[in-house]
Amino acid sequence: MIRFEAVGKRYSGGGEALATLDFEIAAGEFVFLTGPSGAGKSTLLKLVALIERPSRGQVVVNGQNTRKVARRRIPQFRRGLGMVFQDHKLLADRSVFDNVALPLLIAGFAERDINRRVRAALDLVGLADKAPRLPLTLSTGEQQRVGIARAVVSKPPLLIADEPTGNLDPALSLEIMRLFERFNELGVTLLIATHDIDLVTRLGHRRVELVEGRLVGDTGRRHGSA
Amino acid sequence: MAAPERRGGELRRGGPGPLARVRGYFRLHAQNLLGSLGRLARQPLASLLTVAVIGIAMALPAGLDVLVTNARALSAGWASAVDFSVYLEPGQPLARAETLAAEARGHADVVAVEVISADEALAQLSQFTGMQAALEALSDNPLPHTLVVRPRPGLSAEAVGRLADGFETLEGIDLVQLDTAWVERFLAIVDIARRASGIILLLLGFAVVVIVGNTIRLDIENRRSEIEVMKLIGGSDGFIRRPFLYGGLWYGVIGGLLAVVFNASALLALAGPVQRLAGLYGTDFALQGPGLSGLGMLVGGGALLGWLGAWVATSRHLRDIEPT
């Protein structure tokens, strides 16, 4: 599902964010990306989402070499993966329903299908009754669940998340992770960057660790991942 | 939280079908059309200012065009209402003049013919101070008999010209003088005004594009984070651009409607005084409005310019916004 081949990333005017990274994530895996701040976790996710392009090497996502995705094809590419952010990135002037519906609207789904799918996604994250509310009237944990519903509503095979529990207390963090595990059971591949080591240890999925842009640890594929 | 197992079937993949895509496309356009109008309405003061400036910029050339059109209509009336003089050859008897006058009165395009005999002409001329002595020095009257012909009102300038030419070919006629030079001069001035209004139209049209472009640029800047989110979740350039284009369209359309209102008010304010002036000259001339096609041009032109302004702004600025 994701393959990094000798990938390096150097920001102009900055240091080396990633140095010669090689690893592969198979379809259906649940992978935590860990490491201290500045280790290159976010950069790695940005390479997957084509927010950044590698300086060296190749990143293959969903069978597509990101090097060969032209600028105007990036939207189409991004529709093939769901993204969850630490700050949710919800649109404050639209209802929960409209926020979740946005990826379907972009993809050109019919209104009937949009209604059905958005309801299903909100049901899945336990927010079916919050559909008409504005995001800012919800708690942080609920807002994050709206963000997750938006990421999965178009049923992408791959979900990436950058510190999805960064602003949540341990109980809510676990709740969010359990939600991700349910998607994993449904066949979705997950790559989650986090520095919540306790939670990672407790859940026991594959863990890829970065330090200063280098791969320093990989527990390998675990049983229990679908 | 809901049990995902029950809803598991909902996680099936697959995009919308082709028919749903087409329907979705049109629904999206309709939503954008109304949504961008709603966005304008949510900032009434800022929108009103923008629209007012557009309205004024469009009302100016449109108003000038109305004035030019009216001046042409007015002068077209003058050109045909002008009398012309038919001079008989010297030595032709007054009886010949009377015969010609009688014939001319029977012509369908002639409403009146006045005969001025050589003696009357001389008498009129001698009334000018300083001329008397000079005329007395002459042994006999050098002036010919003259017919003053008044064509039927509403006759085109060409028809009047043909009528005058017809007199010139008649037996015993020396010269026909049709004094339309001053009308032609006036028409030349009107043509300059028309050309000037074209130039002003171009400049102010450009101004409308710039105004809308700048407004949309600010709008893009204000919605930067929203645009970033759209790009992150796979919104194409067209999808992100569309609401801004419709926003520009609305600015132009409403600005055009406002220009119509400005022009109608100005015409209404001028109609009374113009009618009084026309009354003083004994004509029933009334100001002509731009008409339905003129109004359509204002609104349609506004739509086009607004769209163009938004198109330029989005082309330049949407590309620069990328998620980081």
Side-chain angles (χ1 to χ4, degrees):
Chain A
M1 184 57 70
I2 300 176
R3 194 168 72 244
F4 275 59
E5 292 172 5
V7 172
K9 175 66 184 175
R10 176 187 289 278
Y11 287 110
S12 58
E16 189 133 276
L18 292 175
T20 330
L21 219 52
D22 279 286
F23 74 96
E24 187 166 355
I25 295 172
E29 276 197 273
F30 190 126
V31 181
F32 281 121
L33 184 62
T34 64
S37 297
K41 302 191 295 292
S42 293
T43 300
L44 193 152
L45 292 184
K46 282 176 186 170
L47 292 177
V48 173
L50 254 177
I51 296 167
E52 295 287 348
R53 288 178 184 273
S55 311
R56 299 182 304 279
Q58 300 192 359
V59 178
V60 181
V61 179
N62 223 345
Q64 278 182 286
N65 187 336
T66 59
R67 238 180 223 300
K68 288 176 184 147
V69 178
R71 191 194 169 276
R72 61 184 179 80
R73 300 292 302 171
I74 288 178
Q76 191 67 42
F77 172 86
R78 286 193 187 136
R79 286 175 212 173
L81 58 112
M83 271 187 268
V84 176
F85 311 92
Q86 181 173 4
D87 58 353
H88 330 309
K89 293 203 188 299
L90 301 175
L91 302 183
D93 62 340
R94 300 186 195 206
S95 69
V96 165
F97 183 96
D98 287 345
N99 266 284
V100 176
L102 204 53
L104 301 177
L105 211 61
I106 284 170
F109 278 85
E111 197 161 356
R112 197 161 34 86
D113 291 343
I114 291 179
N115 276 325
R116 192 170 50 77
R117 285 183 180 230
V118 171
R119 301 272 168 221
L122 283 175
D123 220 4
L124 211 53
V125 300
L127 291 175
D129 56 330
K130 301 287 201 299
R133 302 268 293 270
L134 287 176
L136 291 177
T137 66
L138 303 182
S139 72
T140 316
E142 287 171 331
Q143 288 184 40
Q144 189 55 291
R145 271 145 61 195
V146 175
I148 292 168
R150 184 182 63 188
V152 299
V153 73
S154 54
K155 297 165 192 170
L158 171 65
L159 194 66
I160 63 175
D162 194 2
E163 302 283 0
T165 61
N167 297 328
L168 304 177
D169 63 39
L172 279 175
S173 298
L174 184 63
E175 205 177 303
I176 296 289
M177 289 302 178
R178 292 290 181 212
L179 197 52
F180 284 139
E181 287 183 331
R182 269 182 233 158
F183 294 131
N184 187 231
E185 284 160 19
L186 296 168
V188 178
T189 309
L190 284 110
L191 176 59
I192 299 169
T194 180
H195 50 235
D196 193 342
I197 301 299
D198 290 345
L199 202 57
V200 171
T201 315
R202 187 169 161 191
L203 293 173
H205 296 290
R206 177 180 171 188
R207 177 177 163 191
V208 172
E209 189 172 6
L210 291 180
V211 172
E212 288 179 356
R214 284 167 206 286
L215 195 74
V216 297
D218 186 348
T219 61
R221 187 165 183 172
R222 292 297 178 89
H223 71 280
S225 290
Chain B
M1 243 181 261
E5 290 76 17
R6 188 168 51 83
R7 289 279 162 186
E10 293 295 349
L11 265 182
R12 264 179 293 110
R13 285 171 196 124
L19 194 67
R21 249 175 227 284
V22 172
R23 268 207 303 268
Y25 180 79
F26 283 111
R27 193 187 62 244
L28 213 58
H29 273 272
Q31 281 172 354
N32 278 319
L33 189 67
L34 295 177
S36 47
L37 185 61
R39 204 171 280 281
L40 254 62
R42 255 172 277 151
Q43 310 167 320
L45 190 68
S47 304
L48 197 70
L49 284 176
T50 304
V51 164
V53 173
I54 295 168
I56 292 165
M58 292 184 60
L60 278 173
L64 208 63
D65 190 64
V66 168
L67 284 183
V68 168
T69 307
N70 276 293
R72 281 172 75 98
L74 190 61
S75 55
W78 293 338
S80 58
V82 73
D83 294 353
F84 59 86
S85 306
V86 180
Y87 300 100
L88 274 71
E89 283 166 4
Q92 289 282 346
L94 185 60
R96 174 69 187 148
E98 298 286 5
T99 315
L100 282 172
E103 280 172 19
R105 284 188 189 104
H107 196 287
D109 287 340
V110 175
V111 289
V113 182
E114 191 190 352
V115 179
I116 299 171
S117 70
D119 292 341
E120 283 166 351
L122 190 66
Q124 278 178 18
L125 197 60
S126 63
Q127 280 170 13
F128 289 101
T129 36
M131 292 294 275
Q132 204 155 6
L135 291 174
E136 270 166 10
L138 295 169
S139 57
D140 50 20
N141 186 352
L143 298 174
H145 302 302
T146 310
L147 305 181
V148 177
V149 181
R150 169 157 296 173
R152 181 168 58 81
L155 216 55
S156 74
E158 292 79 43
V160 174
R162 272 199 305 278
L163 186 64
D165 289 347
F167 277 95
E168 199 137 41
T169 60
L170 292 177
E171 172 85 34
I173 300 296
D174 184 29
L175 179 73
V176 177
Q177 199 172 54
L178 180 63
D179 191 12
T180 53
W182 68 275
V183 175
E184 275 157 24
R185 267 179 232 125
F186 181 78
L187 277 178
I189 293 171
V190 170
D191 270 347
I192 290 171
R194 160 154 294 203
R195 182 67 59 89
S197 93
I199 293 168
I200 291 172
L201 179 75
L202 275 180
L203 285 175
L204 289 177
F206 181 67
V208 170
V209 171
V210 171
I211 293 162
V212 173
N214 195 47
T215 308
I216 296 293
R217 183 183 65 81
L218 290 173
D219 200 16
I220 288 172
E221 209 46 58
N222 287 335
R223 294 167 67 186
R224 201 182 179 90
S225 55
E226 181 182 341
I227 293 163
E228 277 184 22
V229 171
M230 297 270 203
K231 289 202 173 185
L232 276 175
I233 60 178
S236 63
D237 288 350
F239 180 87
I240 294 169
R241 184 179 213 175
R242 215 169 291 133
F244 293 105
L245 291 180
Y246 276 117
L249 184 78
W250 279 120
Y251 280 128
V253 166
I254 300 172
L257 286 173
L258 211 58
V260 169
V261 172
F262 288 156
N263 268 3
S265 311
L267 277 176
L268 223 59
L270 287 175
V274 166
Q275 205 149 28
R276 268 201 300 286
L277 183 67
L280 291 177
Y281 280 91
T283 73
D284 55 357
F285 177 80
L287 275 179
Q288 294 296 307
L292 217 58
S293 69
L295 302 189
M297 293 252 287
L298 269 179
V299 177
L304 196 73
L305 293 174
W307 181 276
L308 193 64
W311 191 84
V312 172
T314 49
S315 301
R316 281 185 49 85
H317 300 291
L318 277 185
R319 233 190 127 89
D320 298 341
I321 300 178
E322 280 297 335
T324 50

